[in-house]
mmCIF file of all heavy atoms in Angstrom:
data_model
loop_
_atom_site.group_PDB
_atom_site.id
_atom_site.type_symbol
_atom_site.label_atom_id
_atom_site.label_comp_id
_atom_site.label_asym_id
_atom_site.label_seq_id
_atom_site.Cartn_x
_atom_site.Cartn_y
_atom_site.Cartn_z
ATOM 1 N N TYR A 1 2.709 -59.193 50.379
ATOM 2 C CA TYR A 1 4.014 -59.363 49.745
ATOM 3 C C TYR A 1 4.534 -58.069 49.129
ATOM 4 O O TYR A 1 5.748 -57.943 48.893
ATOM 5 C CB TYR A 1 3.922 -60.454 48.675
ATOM 6 C CG TYR A 1 3.652 -61.815 49.262
ATOM 7 C CD1 TYR A 1 2.372 -62.373 49.239
ATOM 8 C CD2 TYR A 1 4.664 -62.543 49.868
ATOM 9 C CE1 TYR A 1 2.120 -63.612 49.800
ATOM 10 C CE2 TYR A 1 4.421 -63.793 50.434
ATOM 11 C CZ TYR A 1 3.146 -64.326 50.395
ATOM 12 O OH TYR A 1 2.899 -65.549 50.959
ATOM 13 N N ALA A 2 3.629 -57.117 48.870
ATOM 14 C CA ALA A 2 4.046 -55.829 48.322
ATOM 15 C C ALA A 2 4.499 -54.864 49.402
ATOM 16 O O ALA A 2 4.994 -53.772 49.103
ATOM 17 C CB ALA A 2 2.911 -55.199 47.517
ATOM 18 N N SER A 3 4.324 -55.244 50.658
ATOM 19 C CA SER A 3 4.737 -54.411 51.791
ATOM 20 C C SER A 3 6.003 -54.982 52.412
ATOM 21 O O SER A 3 6.218 -56.204 52.404
ATOM 22 C CB SER A 3 3.622 -54.351 52.847
ATOM 23 O OG SER A 3 2.426 -53.834 52.289
ATOM 24 N N PRO A 4 6.860 -54.129 52.961
ATOM 25 C CA PRO A 4 8.118 -54.598 53.553
ATOM 26 C C PRO A 4 7.906 -55.286 54.898
ATOM 27 O O PRO A 4 8.115 -54.695 55.965
ATOM 28 C CB PRO A 4 8.937 -53.310 53.703
ATOM 29 C CG PRO A 4 7.919 -52.228 53.816
ATOM 30 C CD PRO A 4 6.754 -52.663 52.971
ATOM 31 N N ILE A 5 7.459 -56.532 54.839
ATOM 32 C CA ILE A 5 7.221 -57.330 56.048
ATOM 33 C C ILE A 5 8.307 -58.390 56.198
ATOM 34 O O ILE A 5 9.013 -58.433 57.198
ATOM 35 C CB ILE A 5 5.827 -57.981 56.011
ATOM 36 C CG1 ILE A 5 4.739 -56.903 55.936
ATOM 37 C CG2 ILE A 5 5.617 -58.881 57.236
ATOM 38 C CD1 ILE A 5 3.354 -57.441 55.745
ATOM 39 N N ILE A 6 8.442 -59.233 55.192
ATOM 40 C CA ILE A 6 9.482 -60.268 55.231
ATOM 41 C C ILE A 6 10.807 -59.733 54.703
ATOM 42 O O ILE A 6 11.821 -60.431 54.732
ATOM 43 C CB ILE A 6 9.053 -61.526 54.449
ATOM 44 C CG1 ILE A 6 8.769 -61.167 52.980
ATOM 45 C CG2 ILE A 6 7.843 -62.170 55.097
ATOM 46 C CD1 ILE A 6 8.367 -62.372 52.144
ATOM 47 N N TYR A 7 10.790 -58.506 54.223
ATOM 48 C CA TYR A 7 12.003 -57.838 53.750
ATOM 49 C C TYR A 7 11.923 -56.374 54.157
ATOM 50 O O TYR A 7 10.902 -55.911 54.664
ATOM 51 C CB TYR A 7 12.145 -57.954 52.224
ATOM 52 C CG TYR A 7 10.950 -57.413 51.465
ATOM 53 C CD1 TYR A 7 10.865 -56.065 51.118
ATOM 54 C CD2 TYR A 7 9.891 -58.242 51.110
ATOM 55 C CE1 TYR A 7 9.770 -55.554 50.437
ATOM 56 C CE2 TYR A 7 8.791 -57.750 50.430
ATOM 57 C CZ TYR A 7 8.737 -56.413 50.091
ATOM 58 O OH TYR A 7 7.649 -55.912 49.427
ATOM 59 N N GLY A 8 12.989 -55.631 53.954
ATOM 60 C CA GLY A 8 13.011 -54.205 54.252
ATOM 61 C C GLY A 8 13.081 -53.385 52.975
ATOM 62 O O GLY A 8 13.393 -53.915 51.896
ATOM 63 N N LEU A 9 12.807 -52.091 53.078
ATOM 64 C CA LEU A 9 12.898 -51.229 51.901
ATOM 65 C C LEU A 9 14.303 -51.240 51.310
ATOM 66 O O LEU A 9 14.468 -51.157 50.092
ATOM 67 C CB LEU A 9 12.498 -49.794 52.271
ATOM 68 C CG LEU A 9 11.002 -49.508 52.415
ATOM 69 C CD1 LEU A 9 10.791 -48.074 52.898
ATOM 70 C CD2 LEU A 9 10.276 -49.740 51.097
ATOM 71 N N SER A 10 15.296 -51.351 52.165
ATOM 72 C CA SER A 10 16.679 -51.339 51.683
ATOM 73 C C SER A 10 17.032 -52.594 50.892
ATOM 74 O O SER A 10 18.057 -52.617 50.195
ATOM 75 C CB SER A 10 17.639 -51.189 52.861
ATOM 76 O OG SER A 10 17.463 -52.243 53.806
ATOM 77 N N ASP A 11 16.208 -53.641 50.978
ATOM 78 C CA ASP A 11 16.458 -54.871 50.234
ATOM 79 C C ASP A 11 15.951 -54.781 48.801
ATOM 80 O O ASP A 11 16.278 -55.640 47.980
ATOM 81 C CB ASP A 11 15.786 -56.070 50.922
ATOM 82 C CG ASP A 11 16.360 -56.321 52.306
ATOM 83 O OD1 ASP A 11 17.597 -56.334 52.423
ATOM 84 O OD2 ASP A 11 15.586 -56.483 53.255
ATOM 85 N N LEU A 12 15.152 -53.772 48.499
ATOM 86 C CA LEU A 12 14.608 -53.613 47.159
ATOM 87 C C LEU A 12 15.641 -52.985 46.230
ATOM 88 O O LEU A 12 16.512 -52.233 46.676
ATOM 89 C CB LEU A 12 13.350 -52.737 47.207
ATOM 90 C CG LEU A 12 12.166 -53.301 47.990
ATOM 91 C CD1 LEU A 12 11.042 -52.269 48.072
ATOM 92 C CD2 LEU A 12 11.652 -54.583 47.346
ATOM 93 N N PRO A 13 15.542 -53.277 44.918
ATOM 94 C CA PRO A 13 16.458 -52.666 43.953
ATOM 95 C C PRO A 13 16.336 -51.147 43.954
ATOM 96 O O PRO A 13 15.284 -50.599 44.298
ATOM 97 C CB PRO A 13 15.996 -53.261 42.606
ATOM 98 C CG PRO A 13 15.267 -54.507 42.972
ATOM 99 C CD PRO A 13 14.620 -54.237 44.296
ATOM 100 N N HIS A 14 17.400 -50.487 43.543
ATOM 101 C CA HIS A 14 17.404 -49.024 43.516
ATOM 102 C C HIS A 14 16.300 -48.522 42.585
ATOM 103 O O HIS A 14 16.161 -48.976 41.461
ATOM 104 C CB HIS A 14 18.758 -48.513 43.031
ATOM 105 C CG HIS A 14 18.830 -47.011 42.969
ATOM 106 N ND1 HIS A 14 18.817 -46.228 44.113
ATOM 107 C CD2 HIS A 14 18.891 -46.160 41.908
ATOM 108 C CE1 HIS A 14 18.883 -44.947 43.757
ATOM 109 N NE2 HIS A 14 18.931 -44.885 42.431
ATOM 110 N N GLY A 15 15.539 -47.568 43.056
ATOM 111 C CA GLY A 15 14.422 -47.028 42.287
ATOM 112 C C GLY A 15 13.103 -47.639 42.721
ATOM 113 O O GLY A 15 12.104 -46.934 42.869
ATOM 114 N N LEU A 16 13.114 -48.955 42.929
ATOM 115 C CA LEU A 16 11.899 -49.632 43.380
ATOM 116 C C LEU A 16 11.575 -49.285 44.822
ATOM 117 O O LEU A 16 10.403 -49.263 45.215
ATOM 118 C CB LEU A 16 12.041 -51.145 43.214
ATOM 119 C CG LEU A 16 10.773 -51.985 43.440
ATOM 120 C CD1 LEU A 16 9.660 -51.543 42.493
ATOM 121 C CD2 LEU A 16 11.076 -53.464 43.247
ATOM 122 N N ASP A 17 12.616 -48.993 45.600
ATOM 123 C CA ASP A 17 12.383 -48.615 46.993
ATOM 124 C C ASP A 17 11.646 -47.282 47.084
ATOM 125 O O ASP A 17 10.832 -47.069 47.992
ATOM 126 C CB ASP A 17 13.700 -48.560 47.764
ATOM 127 C CG ASP A 17 14.698 -47.602 47.131
ATOM 128 O OD1 ASP A 17 14.535 -47.281 45.953
ATOM 129 O OD2 ASP A 17 15.634 -47.186 47.828
ATOM 130 N N ARG A 18 11.915 -46.369 46.139
ATOM 131 C CA ARG A 18 11.200 -45.090 46.111
ATOM 132 C C ARG A 18 9.745 -45.292 45.738
ATOM 133 O O ARG A 18 8.843 -44.655 46.286
ATOM 134 C CB ARG A 18 11.867 -44.148 45.101
ATOM 135 C CG ARG A 18 13.256 -43.693 45.520
ATOM 136 C CD ARG A 18 13.176 -42.740 46.692
ATOM 137 N NE ARG A 18 14.488 -42.304 47.147
ATOM 138 C CZ ARG A 18 14.686 -41.411 48.100
ATOM 139 N NH1 ARG A 18 13.658 -40.868 48.721
ATOM 140 N NH2 ARG A 18 15.902 -41.065 48.467
ATOM 141 N N LEU A 19 9.505 -46.194 44.800
ATOM 142 C CA LEU A 19 8.128 -46.495 44.408
ATOM 143 C C LEU A 19 7.375 -47.171 45.541
ATOM 144 O O LEU A 19 6.206 -46.875 45.802
ATOM 145 C CB LEU A 19 8.134 -47.387 43.162
ATOM 146 C CG LEU A 19 6.768 -47.785 42.595
ATOM 147 C CD1 LEU A 19 5.991 -46.530 42.150
ATOM 148 C CD2 LEU A 19 6.936 -48.747 41.421
ATOM 149 N N ALA A 20 8.058 -48.075 46.249
ATOM 150 C CA ALA A 20 7.427 -48.801 47.361
ATOM 151 C C ALA A 20 7.071 -47.869 48.505
ATOM 152 O O ALA A 20 6.190 -48.182 49.311
ATOM 153 C CB ALA A 20 8.354 -49.906 47.853
ATOM 154 N N ALA A 21 7.743 -46.718 48.588
ATOM 155 C CA ALA A 21 7.471 -45.766 49.664
ATOM 156 C C ALA A 21 6.062 -45.190 49.584
ATOM 157 O O ALA A 21 5.533 -44.685 50.580
ATOM 158 C CB ALA A 21 8.499 -44.638 49.635
ATOM 159 N N PHE A 22 5.440 -45.261 48.395
ATOM 160 C CA PHE A 22 4.076 -44.753 48.241
ATOM 161 C C PHE A 22 3.044 -45.722 48.811
ATOM 162 O O PHE A 22 1.855 -45.399 48.853
ATOM 163 C CB PHE A 22 3.786 -44.465 46.760
ATOM 164 C CG PHE A 22 4.469 -43.222 46.272
ATOM 165 C CD1 PHE A 22 5.756 -43.274 45.758
ATOM 166 C CD2 PHE A 22 3.841 -41.985 46.358
ATOM 167 C CE1 PHE A 22 6.401 -42.122 45.321
ATOM 168 C CE2 PHE A 22 4.471 -40.832 45.924
ATOM 169 C CZ PHE A 22 5.759 -40.901 45.402
ATOM 170 N N ASN A 23 3.490 -46.891 49.207
ATOM 171 C CA ASN A 23 2.658 -47.777 50.025
ATOM 172 C C ASN A 23 2.759 -47.261 51.455
ATOM 173 O O ASN A 23 3.827 -47.347 52.059
ATOM 174 C CB ASN A 23 3.166 -49.208 49.926
ATOM 175 C CG ASN A 23 2.438 -50.169 50.861
ATOM 176 O OD1 ASN A 23 1.557 -49.776 51.627
ATOM 177 N ND2 ASN A 23 2.808 -51.427 50.807
ATOM 178 N N PRO A 24 1.694 -46.686 52.013
ATOM 179 C CA PRO A 24 1.803 -46.059 53.344
ATOM 180 C C PRO A 24 2.268 -47.000 54.430
ATOM 181 O O PRO A 24 2.836 -46.558 55.444
ATOM 182 C CB PRO A 24 0.383 -45.546 53.606
ATOM 183 C CG PRO A 24 -0.500 -46.334 52.692
ATOM 184 C CD PRO A 24 0.330 -46.631 51.485
ATOM 185 N N LEU A 25 2.061 -48.295 54.237
ATOM 186 C CA LEU A 25 2.513 -49.259 55.245
ATOM 187 C C LEU A 25 4.035 -49.312 55.324
ATOM 188 O O LEU A 25 4.590 -49.664 56.369
ATOM 189 C CB LEU A 25 1.962 -50.653 54.924
ATOM 190 C CG LEU A 25 0.448 -50.838 55.102
ATOM 191 C CD1 LEU A 25 0.033 -52.221 54.643
ATOM 192 C CD2 LEU A 25 0.037 -50.619 56.551
ATOM 193 N N ALA A 26 4.717 -48.959 54.238
ATOM 194 C CA ALA A 26 6.180 -49.006 54.235
ATOM 195 C C ALA A 26 6.757 -48.054 55.282
ATOM 196 O O ALA A 26 7.627 -48.428 56.074
ATOM 197 C CB ALA A 26 6.712 -48.667 52.845
ATOM 198 N N GLY A 27 6.284 -46.814 55.296
ATOM 199 C CA GLY A 27 6.758 -45.850 56.279
ATOM 200 C C GLY A 27 6.336 -46.202 57.691
ATOM 201 O O GLY A 27 7.103 -46.010 58.653
ATOM 202 N N ILE A 28 5.120 -46.724 57.829
ATOM 203 C CA ILE A 28 4.619 -47.105 59.151
ATOM 204 C C ILE A 28 5.455 -48.246 59.734
ATOM 205 O O ILE A 28 5.868 -48.218 60.898
ATOM 206 C CB ILE A 28 3.136 -47.493 59.068
ATOM 207 C CG1 ILE A 28 2.283 -46.260 58.736
ATOM 208 C CG2 ILE A 28 2.657 -48.139 60.370
ATOM 209 C CD1 ILE A 28 0.838 -46.572 58.425
ATOM 210 N N PHE A 29 5.723 -49.275 58.927
ATOM 211 C CA PHE A 29 6.524 -50.403 59.401
ATOM 212 C C PHE A 29 7.957 -49.964 59.704
ATOM 213 O O PHE A 29 8.595 -50.507 60.617
ATOM 214 C CB PHE A 29 6.530 -51.525 58.361
ATOM 215 C CG PHE A 29 5.190 -52.200 58.193
ATOM 216 C CD1 PHE A 29 4.929 -53.006 57.094
ATOM 217 C CD2 PHE A 29 4.186 -52.030 59.131
ATOM 218 C CE1 PHE A 29 3.699 -53.625 56.941
ATOM 219 C CE2 PHE A 29 2.947 -52.646 58.985
ATOM 220 C CZ PHE A 29 2.707 -53.449 57.882
ATOM 221 N N ALA A 30 8.465 -48.998 58.937
ATOM 222 C CA ALA A 30 9.815 -48.487 59.200
ATOM 223 C C ALA A 30 9.890 -47.836 60.579
ATOM 224 O O ALA A 30 10.900 -47.972 61.284
ATOM 225 C CB ALA A 30 10.212 -47.499 58.109
ATOM 226 N N LEU A 31 8.823 -47.136 60.960
ATOM 227 C CA LEU A 31 8.787 -46.519 62.288
ATOM 228 C C LEU A 31 8.768 -47.581 63.384
ATOM 229 O O LEU A 31 9.460 -47.452 64.401
ATOM 230 C CB LEU A 31 7.552 -45.621 62.408
ATOM 231 C CG LEU A 31 7.596 -44.299 61.632
ATOM 232 C CD1 LEU A 31 6.233 -43.628 61.661
ATOM 233 C CD2 LEU A 31 8.651 -43.366 62.213
ATOM 234 N N TYR A 32 7.968 -48.613 63.195
ATOM 235 C CA TYR A 32 7.939 -49.697 64.177
ATOM 236 C C TYR A 32 9.318 -50.346 64.315
ATOM 237 O O TYR A 32 9.817 -50.570 65.421
ATOM 238 C CB TYR A 32 6.924 -50.768 63.768
ATOM 239 C CG TYR A 32 5.477 -50.405 63.990
ATOM 240 C CD1 TYR A 32 4.563 -50.395 62.932
ATOM 241 C CD2 TYR A 32 4.999 -50.102 65.259
ATOM 242 C CE1 TYR A 32 3.226 -50.082 63.133
ATOM 243 C CE2 TYR A 32 3.666 -49.791 65.475
ATOM 244 C CZ TYR A 32 2.784 -49.778 64.407
ATOM 245 O OH TYR A 32 1.458 -49.461 64.601
#
């Protein structure tokens, strides 16, 4: 639930999306 699977990084509030980027899965899923 902490990874952007059922949602995207852009769905997170401003600021939280930057913090979520430190979850390496966020960038990997974005590439997929």
Side-chain angles (χ1 to χ4, degrees):
Y1 294 101
S3 302
I5 299 174
I6 59 179
Y7 56 87
L9 282 175
S10 58
D11 297 313
L12 296 174
H14 180 68
L16 189 58
D17 57 340
R18 292 290 179 176
L19 181 62
F22 286 88
N23 174 358
L25 291 175
I28 292 171
F29 292 165
L31 287 171
Y32 284 122

